[in-house]
Amino acid sequence: MSWTERTEETLRQAGYRRGAARRIVVSVLAREGCCVTVPEIVDAARRQGHDVGLASVYRVLDLLTEKGLAQKIELGEGRARYERVEPQHERHHHHLVCTDCGRIEPFSDEELETALRRVEEETGFAVASHDVLLRGSCDDCRAA
Amino acid sequence: MSWTERTEETLRQAGYRRGAARRIVVSVLAREGCCVTVPEIVDAARRQGHDVGLASVYRVLDLLTEKGLAQKIELGEGRARYERVEPQHERHHHHLVCTDCGRIEPFSDEELETALRRVEEETGFAVASHDVLLRGSCDDCRAA
DNA sequence: ATCAGTGCAAAACATTTGCAGCATG
DNA sequence: CATGCTGCAAATGTTTTGCACTGAT
């Protein structure tokens, strides 16, 4: 079952209707692999031939985040980014950000996840999710 | 050499003057162990008997961050937090945030740092810093 | 005395909210 | 055909910027 299918199914079962904004935002997130900003979502939607209101995008993203179907990520840019969350932590990844040009690259590492799981168990919290952010200069910026 | 001394020395050597706002913000960050918001800094300053303009606080924080003396952290609250950075990564730590009440707890783990250092070497970036954010419910909120 | 640093007020953004009309179930 | 969803516009909150004045060197 694809992320889109699982998402539509989850929302339907929770009693939500399948409105235009929800369909459009889900469609955009399904195609975008890594984290995108709200204006980027609106632009991508327009490129697909659909217009969505900013407010609706924020509302859909809040809903998806609350249901664990998407997650909000802040990389220090002063605005949030969102990306889909796959079941079984498939394609789970973290982010590498270039402090010079803003370039964002995803990465993943199983040993890091193992260390995180252990730390999460040791805290007094019931940890639901985690983010790792690496900041530095990308190869292009270092060469320049 | 304390963080305050190192900070004042670094700024002086870089040709910056020792103005009121800089002295006040440095003094507040020196006393706060963990990440604080800009209004929290202004309030803490007032409690110490000093008034600072919001804009100046932002400007000082930008400068300290650029010089690697402080770091900006976003925990998904819609506003940034700042904390001092000690030399040799002393007191280096990460953050655990309760998604119910907003409580923030610092934690540190040497094995996690080791895993991070290894991952950082494998990227094509020259990684300068990293943040780890754990989200979940704190014991109080889970009990309630 | 010079000019960097500061504070205020205004501007620029990001995000949230109120509400009237539309469209889903 | 009821009411949940959407879009607009206004409100809110955070961060940035312009500018005249102050104070450090």
Side-chain angles (χ1 to χ4, degrees), chain A residues 3 7 11 21-30 32 34-42 52-73 79-85:
Chain A
W3 176 79
T7 297
L11 295 185
R22 282 182 195 149
R23 221 169 324 121
I24 295 169
V25 172
V26 168
S27 155
V28 170
L29 287 187
E32 297 286 345
C34 204
C35 54
V36 286
T37 64
V38 170
E40 280 168 4
I41 291 173
V42 172
V52 209
L54 259 190
S56 301
V57 174
Y58 279 107
R59 281 186 283 234
V60 174
L61 291 171
D62 276 353
L63 177 60
L64 295 178
T65 300
E66 186 195 307
K67 297 293 178 193
L69 297 161
Q71 69 180 120
K72 179 181 181 178
I73 293 169
R79 65 204 158 147
R81 287 180 175 270
Y82 295 84
E83 66 186 14
R84 63 176 192 262
V85 171

Side-chain angles (χ1 to χ4, degrees), chain A residues 116 119-120 123 125 127 129-132 135, chain B residues 32-36 71-77 81-85 91-99 102-109 112-113 116 130-136:
Chain A
L116 284 166
V119 171
E120 288 166 10
T123 70
F125 284 44
V127 178
S129 67
H130 64 227
D131 290 336
V132 176
R135 272 184 248 90
Chain B
E32 298 287 344
C34 204
C35 52
V36 287
Q71 70 181 120
K72 180 181 182 176
I73 292 170
E74 292 186 346
L75 303 179
E77 306 162 297
R81 287 181 174 269
Y82 295 84
E83 67 187 12
R84 65 175 191 262
V85 171
R91 299 191 223 191
H92 173 63
H93 62 269
H94 297 293
H95 303 92
L96 195 48
V97 180
C98 177
T99 41
R103 185 169 136 197
I104 298 170
E105 300 241 336
F107 73 87
S108 62
D109 183 272
L112 175 59
E113 295 301 323
L116 285 166
H130 63 228
D131 291 335
V132 176
L133 168 59
L134 268 39
R135 274 183 246 90

Side-chain angles (χ1 to χ4, degrees), chain B residues 47-105:
Chain B
R47 261 180 274 117
Q48 291 179 208
H50 302 292
D51 270 351
V52 208
L54 259 191
S56 301
V57 174
Y58 279 107
R59 281 186 282 234
V60 173
L61 291 171
D62 275 353
L63 177 60
L64 294 178
T65 300
E66 185 194 308
K67 296 295 178 191
L69 297 160
Q71 70 181 120
K72 180 181 182 176
I73 292 170
E74 292 186 346
L75 303 179
E77 306 162 297
R79 63 201 158 149
R81 287 181 174 269
Y82 295 84
E83 67 187 12
R84 65 175 191 262
V85 171
E86 313 244 7
Q88 327 298 344
H89 296 271
E90 253 178 89
R91 299 191 223 191
H92 173 63
H93 62 269
H94 297 293
H95 303 92
L96 195 48
V97 180
C98 177
T99 41
D100 296 331
C101 69
R103 185 169 136 197
I104 298 170
E105 300 241 336

